[in-house]
Amino acid sequence: MNGILLRKLRVIEQVLAELQSLKPLSVEQLQADWKIRRAVERDLQIAIEAMIDVCQRILSEKGQTPATTAAEAIKRCVQLGVLSDEQPYRRMVQFRNFIVHQYEEVSPAMLADLVNHRLHDFQQFIREVRAYAGG
């Protein structure tokens, strides 16, 4: 597997391990401890950024022009057969945009739900990219 892809996937795996260590995560914990809340927000942002970087790298390796948006990068990786379904990854990109641009509105309930119930989407992304890249 390409060294850059492998490095980015390892970043996602590290972040997932950090987030998994917080489970089960409650809304009350996030409300009571701003450090945990900020760590969760940042970890999720890092994992999504790494996912986008992986998609852009795959497009580059295929000799394609870079995608102009993260959502386009996801869509083109689905079209290439790297990823099986666009929806969960588009939701991740939407969430990343939300925490970057509307950071004052990120609710503890949203963060708790993502950590407790949506981390499998990142794991699926890793499996699909590894299957595509042979590693």
Side-chain angles (χ1 to χ4, degrees), residues 62-83:
K62 289 290 197 176
Q64 296 191 8
T65 59
T68 57
T69 66
E72 179 190 348
I74 300 292
K75 181 178 185 173
R76 288 170 58 190
C77 281
V78 170
Q79 291 168 342
L80 289 171
V82 177
L83 303 174

mmCIF file of all heavy atoms in Angstrom, residues 62-83:
data_model
loop_
_atom_site.group_PDB
_atom_site.id
_atom_site.type_symbol
_atom_site.label_atom_id
_atom_site.label_comp_id
_atom_site.label_asym_id
_atom_site.label_seq_id
_atom_site.Cartn_x
_atom_site.Cartn_y
_atom_site.Cartn_z
ATOM 1 N N LYS A 62 -4.747 7.941 -9.496
ATOM 2 C CA LYS A 62 -5.463 7.496 -10.693
ATOM 3 C C LYS A 62 -5.286 8.470 -11.851
ATOM 4 O O LYS A 62 -5.876 8.292 -12.914
ATOM 5 C CB LYS A 62 -6.965 7.335 -10.402
ATOM 6 C CG LYS A 62 -7.289 6.155 -9.524
ATOM 7 C CD LYS A 62 -7.041 4.900 -10.291
ATOM 8 C CE LYS A 62 -7.703 3.705 -9.681
ATOM 9 N NZ LYS A 62 -7.532 2.510 -10.483
ATOM 10 N N GLY A 63 -4.463 9.506 -11.642
ATOM 11 C CA GLY A 63 -4.194 10.471 -12.697
ATOM 12 C C GLY A 63 -5.321 11.460 -12.917
ATOM 13 O O GLY A 63 -5.380 12.117 -13.959
ATOM 14 N N GLN A 64 -6.202 11.583 -11.947
ATOM 15 C CA GLN A 64 -7.323 12.497 -12.071
ATOM 16 C C GLN A 64 -6.994 13.844 -11.428
ATOM 17 O O GLN A 64 -6.126 13.934 -10.564
ATOM 18 C CB GLN A 64 -8.568 11.903 -11.406
ATOM 19 C CG GLN A 64 -9.049 10.639 -12.090
ATOM 20 C CD GLN A 64 -10.417 10.229 -11.587
ATOM 21 O OE1 GLN A 64 -11.081 10.942 -10.852
ATOM 22 N NE2 GLN A 64 -10.848 9.046 -11.994
ATOM 23 N N THR A 65 -7.699 14.852 -11.863
ATOM 24 C CA THR A 65 -7.530 16.164 -11.257
ATOM 25 C C THR A 65 -8.096 16.127 -9.840
ATOM 26 O O THR A 65 -9.004 15.344 -9.557
ATOM 27 C CB THR A 65 -8.271 17.248 -12.067
ATOM 28 O OG1 THR A 65 -9.659 16.905 -12.123
ATOM 29 C CG2 THR A 65 -7.712 17.382 -13.470
ATOM 30 N N PRO A 66 -7.578 16.980 -8.977
ATOM 31 C CA PRO A 66 -8.116 17.010 -7.614
ATOM 32 C C PRO A 66 -9.584 17.426 -7.623
ATOM 33 O O PRO A 66 -10.016 18.219 -8.452
ATOM 34 C CB PRO A 66 -7.263 18.071 -6.916
ATOM 35 C CG PRO A 66 -6.060 18.258 -7.761
ATOM 36 C CD PRO A 66 -6.459 17.897 -9.153
ATOM 37 N N ALA A 67 -10.323 16.887 -6.698
ATOM 38 C CA ALA A 67 -11.715 17.285 -6.529
ATOM 39 C C ALA A 67 -11.741 18.696 -5.947
ATOM 40 O O ALA A 67 -10.868 19.063 -5.162
ATOM 41 C CB ALA A 67 -12.432 16.310 -5.599
ATOM 42 N N THR A 68 -12.734 19.475 -6.341
ATOM 43 C CA THR A 68 -12.820 20.851 -5.847
ATOM 44 C C THR A 68 -13.472 20.939 -4.474
ATOM 45 O O THR A 68 -13.329 21.938 -3.785
ATOM 46 C CB THR A 68 -13.575 21.756 -6.841
ATOM 47 O OG1 THR A 68 -14.871 21.198 -7.067
ATOM 48 C CG2 THR A 68 -12.817 21.866 -8.161
ATOM 49 N N THR A 69 -14.185 19.882 -4.091
ATOM 50 C CA THR A 69 -14.791 19.844 -2.753
ATOM 51 C C THR A 69 -14.562 18.466 -2.151
ATOM 52 O O THR A 69 -14.307 17.490 -2.878
ATOM 53 C CB THR A 69 -16.312 20.107 -2.797
ATOM 54 O OG1 THR A 69 -16.955 19.022 -3.477
ATOM 55 C CG2 THR A 69 -16.638 21.443 -3.480
ATOM 56 N N ALA A 70 -14.701 18.400 -0.845
ATOM 57 C CA ALA A 70 -14.560 17.112 -0.165
ATOM 58 C C ALA A 70 -15.664 16.154 -0.608
ATOM 59 O O ALA A 70 -15.406 14.966 -0.826
ATOM 60 C CB ALA A 70 -14.599 17.318 1.341
ATOM 61 N N ALA A 71 -16.876 16.661 -0.754
ATOM 62 C CA ALA A 71 -17.988 15.812 -1.185
ATOM 63 C C ALA A 71 -17.737 15.248 -2.581
ATOM 64 O O ALA A 71 -18.042 14.084 -2.859
ATOM 65 C CB ALA A 71 -19.294 16.602 -1.159
ATOM 66 N N GLU A 72 -17.139 16.048 -3.440
ATOM 67 C CA GLU A 72 -16.808 15.565 -4.779
ATOM 68 C C GLU A 72 -15.739 14.475 -4.721
ATOM 69 O O GLU A 72 -15.800 13.492 -5.462
ATOM 70 C CB GLU A 72 -16.329 16.719 -5.663
ATOM 71 C CG GLU A 72 -15.950 16.283 -7.074
ATOM 72 C CD GLU A 72 -15.259 17.372 -7.879
ATOM 73 O OE1 GLU A 72 -15.256 18.545 -7.467
ATOM 74 O OE2 GLU A 72 -14.698 17.021 -8.931
ATOM 75 N N ALA A 73 -14.771 14.624 -3.837
ATOM 76 C CA ALA A 73 -13.722 13.607 -3.685
ATOM 77 C C ALA A 73 -14.338 12.277 -3.285
ATOM 78 O O ALA A 73 -13.974 11.224 -3.816
ATOM 79 C CB ALA A 73 -12.681 14.060 -2.666
ATOM 80 N N ILE A 74 -15.290 12.321 -2.356
ATOM 81 C CA ILE A 74 -15.990 11.107 -1.926
ATOM 82 C C ILE A 74 -16.749 10.503 -3.107
ATOM 83 O O ILE A 74 -16.633 9.304 -3.388
ATOM 84 C CB ILE A 74 -16.979 11.425 -0.776
ATOM 85 C CG1 ILE A 74 -16.273 11.996 0.438
ATOM 86 C CG2 ILE A 74 -17.837 10.212 -0.448
ATOM 87 C CD1 ILE A 74 -15.378 11.079 1.183
ATOM 88 N N LYS A 75 -17.510 11.317 -3.789
ATOM 89 C CA LYS A 75 -18.322 10.846 -4.910
ATOM 90 C C LYS A 75 -17.457 10.192 -5.981
ATOM 91 O O LYS A 75 -17.788 9.119 -6.497
ATOM 92 C CB LYS A 75 -19.100 12.016 -5.508
ATOM 93 C CG LYS A 75 -19.992 11.632 -6.660
ATOM 94 C CD LYS A 75 -20.779 12.820 -7.173
ATOM 95 C CE LYS A 75 -21.745 12.370 -8.251
ATOM 96 N NZ LYS A 75 -22.646 13.466 -8.645
ATOM 97 N N ARG A 76 -16.333 10.801 -6.294
ATOM 98 C CA ARG A 76 -15.464 10.246 -7.329
ATOM 99 C C ARG A 76 -14.815 8.932 -6.882
ATOM 100 O O ARG A 76 -14.598 8.034 -7.696
ATOM 101 C CB ARG A 76 -14.445 11.287 -7.753
ATOM 102 C CG ARG A 76 -15.141 12.397 -8.575
ATOM 103 C CD ARG A 76 -14.293 13.597 -8.860
ATOM 104 N NE ARG A 76 -13.066 13.277 -9.567
ATOM 105 C CZ ARG A 76 -12.082 14.172 -9.745
ATOM 106 N NH1 ARG A 76 -12.209 15.403 -9.292
ATOM 107 N NH2 ARG A 76 -10.979 13.817 -10.387
ATOM 108 N N CYS A 77 -14.539 8.785 -5.594
ATOM 109 C CA CYS A 77 -14.003 7.513 -5.096
ATOM 110 C C CYS A 77 -15.063 6.417 -5.152
ATOM 111 O O CYS A 77 -14.740 5.253 -5.402
ATOM 112 C CB CYS A 77 -13.437 7.679 -3.692
ATOM 113 S SG CYS A 77 -11.792 8.428 -3.678
ATOM 114 N N VAL A 78 -16.316 6.775 -4.960
ATOM 115 C CA VAL A 78 -17.401 5.804 -5.136
ATOM 116 C C VAL A 78 -17.477 5.399 -6.605
ATOM 117 O O VAL A 78 -17.589 4.219 -6.932
ATOM 118 C CB VAL A 78 -18.748 6.375 -4.633
ATOM 119 C CG1 VAL A 78 -19.914 5.485 -5.041
ATOM 120 C CG2 VAL A 78 -18.721 6.553 -3.119
ATOM 121 N N GLN A 79 -17.388 6.374 -7.501
ATOM 122 C CA GLN A 79 -17.443 6.090 -8.934
ATOM 123 C C GLN A 79 -16.283 5.201 -9.379
ATOM 124 O O GLN A 79 -16.451 4.374 -10.275
ATOM 125 C CB GLN A 79 -17.438 7.395 -9.740
ATOM 126 C CG GLN A 79 -18.712 8.189 -9.588
ATOM 127 C CD GLN A 79 -18.611 9.604 -10.151
ATOM 128 O OE1 GLN A 79 -17.525 10.137 -10.378
ATOM 129 N NE2 GLN A 79 -19.768 10.218 -10.374
ATOM 130 N N LEU A 80 -15.133 5.348 -8.739
ATOM 131 C CA LEU A 80 -13.970 4.509 -9.054
ATOM 132 C C LEU A 80 -14.076 3.106 -8.456
ATOM 133 O O LEU A 80 -13.259 2.243 -8.757
ATOM 134 C CB LEU A 80 -12.680 5.169 -8.554
ATOM 135 C CG LEU A 80 -12.195 6.396 -9.295
ATOM 136 C CD1 LEU A 80 -11.049 7.059 -8.544
ATOM 137 C CD2 LEU A 80 -11.765 6.026 -10.720
ATOM 138 N N GLY A 81 -15.048 2.908 -7.579
ATOM 139 C CA GLY A 81 -15.204 1.611 -6.940
ATOM 140 C C GLY A 81 -14.376 1.433 -5.690
ATOM 141 O O GLY A 81 -14.294 0.325 -5.144
ATOM 142 N N VAL A 82 -13.762 2.499 -5.218
ATOM 143 C CA VAL A 82 -12.973 2.429 -3.990
ATOM 144 C C VAL A 82 -13.896 2.330 -2.781
ATOM 145 O O VAL A 82 -13.669 1.539 -1.878
ATOM 146 C CB VAL A 82 -12.054 3.667 -3.860
ATOM 147 C CG1 VAL A 82 -11.283 3.638 -2.547
ATOM 148 C CG2 VAL A 82 -11.118 3.770 -5.053
ATOM 149 N N LEU A 83 -14.932 3.148 -2.790
ATOM 150 C CA LEU A 83 -15.912 3.188 -1.699
ATOM 151 C C LEU A 83 -17.241 2.665 -2.208
ATOM 152 O O LEU A 83 -17.596 2.890 -3.364
ATOM 153 C CB LEU A 83 -16.078 4.618 -1.175
ATOM 154 C CG LEU A 83 -14.807 5.307 -0.683
ATOM 155 C CD1 LEU A 83 -15.078 6.756 -0.330
ATOM 156 C CD2 LEU A 83 -14.207 4.558 0.495
#
